[in-house]
Amino acid sequence: MWRYEKRLQYPVNISQTNPKLAQFIISQYGGPDGESAASMRYLSQRYAMPYEKGKAILTDIGTEELAHWEIIAAIVHQLTRNLTPQEIEESGFGPYYIDHTTGIWPQAAGGIPFNACEFQSKGDPITDLFEDLAAEQKARTTYDNILRMVKDHDVCDPIRFLREREIVHFQRFGEALRDVQDHLDSRNFYAFNPAFDPGQRPCGQKKQP
Amino acid sequence: MTCGNTLLQKVYETGFSLDEITLYLDTHPTDKQAMEYYQYIRKANQDAVSAYEQSYGPLMINQVNSNAWTWTNNPWPWEGGM
């Protein structure tokens, strides 16, 4: 169950519009390494997580990603306020504007719509956590790429905050992975899937002495 | 719908009443009777949540009311029984 808190996790106050930059940044709204995929990934993976620490971290990071999704939308919204048709045409924002005016819609920088194939929920806690670690690094790289394109401090500031959160999440997922491994057989973490065959090994494998 | 736990049942009931009245108030913000009901059910929900949390631990992450981090404790909502 969720309730909304009527504030951003980190403030966004952009005075200078920039539709070209908005088109880059919207990738973190609906792109392959964006915040929507992140939130849906972690919240969906919870059901296959057998251990308390993992359930909590997936719930809480999945929730924080929703707040990041909102920050990205606020940035894109403020970068595209009060545009003139001329600004739209000159900035290359035209194709997006034709389909969505200046509404917020989840797509990648290249226009590809958001798609659940951008994340996986594999039903295996080790596999899922490795995906999560990779996802945080991919998002960090995307923010690094965005930061090279941004000169405006009002935009840099919240983007830097989001980039740092990727690094913190990576650290926490690493700890969650260690906790999962601590519950398993250190001689073979892959002997069985604790989300599917708890306490037992697949057919033909004997318990080691 | 009922759940076995009386304290939690009260949270479900007052929580849903809150969901209903807040949606109604979003589109009828000047309805005085609705506003009175909101204040009544808001208090009832707060009381129900506090009573539940005292026995069973936090429902929200900013309500951990002990020196131990009980947020992670089983059961989680999707596992049934709550």
Side-chain angles (χ1 to χ4, degrees):
Chain A
M1 171 72 185
W2 273 264
R3 291 201 185 280
Y4 183 65
E5 193 168 324
K6 197 179 167 188
R7 67 174 178 99
L8 297 177
Q9 189 196 13
Y10 190 92
V12 176
N13 293 297
I14 296 166
S15 44
Q16 189 66 43
T17 60
N18 188 336
K20 188 169 216 160
L21 197 52
Q23 230 182 336
F24 296 155
I25 292 175
I26 205 164
S27 223
Q28 282 304 84
Y29 194 74
D33 305 311
E35 303 290 356
S36 52
S39 184
M40 291 173 77
R41 175 187 298 112
Y42 307 146
L43 294 178
S44 298
Q45 289 176 352
R46 296 182 298 162
Y47 310 97
M49 172 54 72
Y51 312 117
E52 287 182 337
K53 283 182 188 169
K55 290 180 220 180
I57 206 69
L58 288 169
T59 300
D60 297 337
I61 295 181
T63 299
E64 187 181 341
E65 304 294 8
L66 279 178
H68 295 174
W69 197 51
E70 185 183 32
I71 292 174
I72 292 294
I75 294 170
V76 172
H77 171 67
Q78 293 184 21
L79 284 172
T80 55
R81 278 192 292 206
N82 309 315
L83 295 180
T84 63
Q86 196 191 348
E87 283 174 308
I88 288 168
E89 206 172 348
E90 285 170 3
S91 65
F93 193 67
Y96 184 94
Y97 159 80
I98 292 300
D99 286 334
H100 310 292
T101 324
T102 52
I104 302 293
W105 189 71
Q107 68 161 48
I112 301 157
F114 176 72
N115 184 325
C117 297
E118 282 150 4
F119 67 88
Q120 178 59 293
S121 176
K122 196 66 178 176
D124 178 316
I126 290 184
T127 311
D128 282 347
L129 282 166
F130 271 102
E131 152 132 354
D132 303 345
L133 288 159
E136 295 295 333
Q137 289 300 335
K138 289 187 284 182
R140 195 264 307 156
T141 302
T142 307
Y143 284 123
D144 281 335
N145 292 346
I146 288 169
L147 282 166
R148 283 188 203 97
M149 300 289 147
V150 182
K151 288 165 192 75
D152 182 352
H153 172 267
D154 293 351
V155 183
C156 270
D157 189 45
I159 295 288
R160 281 205 192 99
F161 171 80
L162 293 168
R163 177 189 175 278
E164 282 177 19
R165 297 309 293 160
E166 306 300 339
I167 294 164
V168 172
H169 293 173
F170 179 81
Q171 173 71 20
R172 298 282 94 85
F173 279 132
E175 290 154 359
L177 176 61
R178 170 63 66 90
D179 179 68
V180 167
Q181 290 172 330
D182 284 346
H183 282 89
L184 299 174
D185 185 340
S186 62
R187 289 162 299 189
N188 180 6
F189 294 139
Y190 315 110
F192 66 98
N193 176 356
F196 192 74
D197 20 40
Q200 39 182 307
R201 282 139 207 283
C203 188
Q205 288 184 27
K206 287 193 193 125
K207 191 167 168 59
Q208 308 255 333
Chain B
M1 195 279 307
T2 55
C3 73
N5 181 323
T6 331
L7 290 174
L8 185 58
Q9 180 67 26
K10 207 77 197 146
V11 173
Y12 272 113
E13 287 171 7
T14 56
F16 181 69
S17 301
L18 205 52
D19 296 335
E20 270 287 68
I21 198 65
T22 49
L23 289 192
Y24 178 83
L25 277 164
D26 281 348
T27 53
H28 304 75
T30 59
D31 186 324
K32 286 204 175 73
Q33 210 185 341
M35 198 59 215
E36 276 166 30
Y37 182 74
Y38 166 78
Q39 292 298 357
Y40 160 75
I41 205 66
R42 187 175 75 98
K43 174 78 168 60
N45 179 250
Q46 280 172 356
D47 293 348
V49 168
S50 305
Y52 174 85
E53 285 180 329
Q54 271 198 343
S55 300
Y56 297 99
L59 284 174
M60 292 190 82
I61 202 165
N62 58 359
Q63 297 300 322
V64 179
N65 204 3
S66 65
N67 292 324
W69 186 244
T70 51
W71 176 247
T72 50
N73 291 1
N74 284 331
W76 283 78
W78 56 89
E79 296 167 323
M82 74 174 286

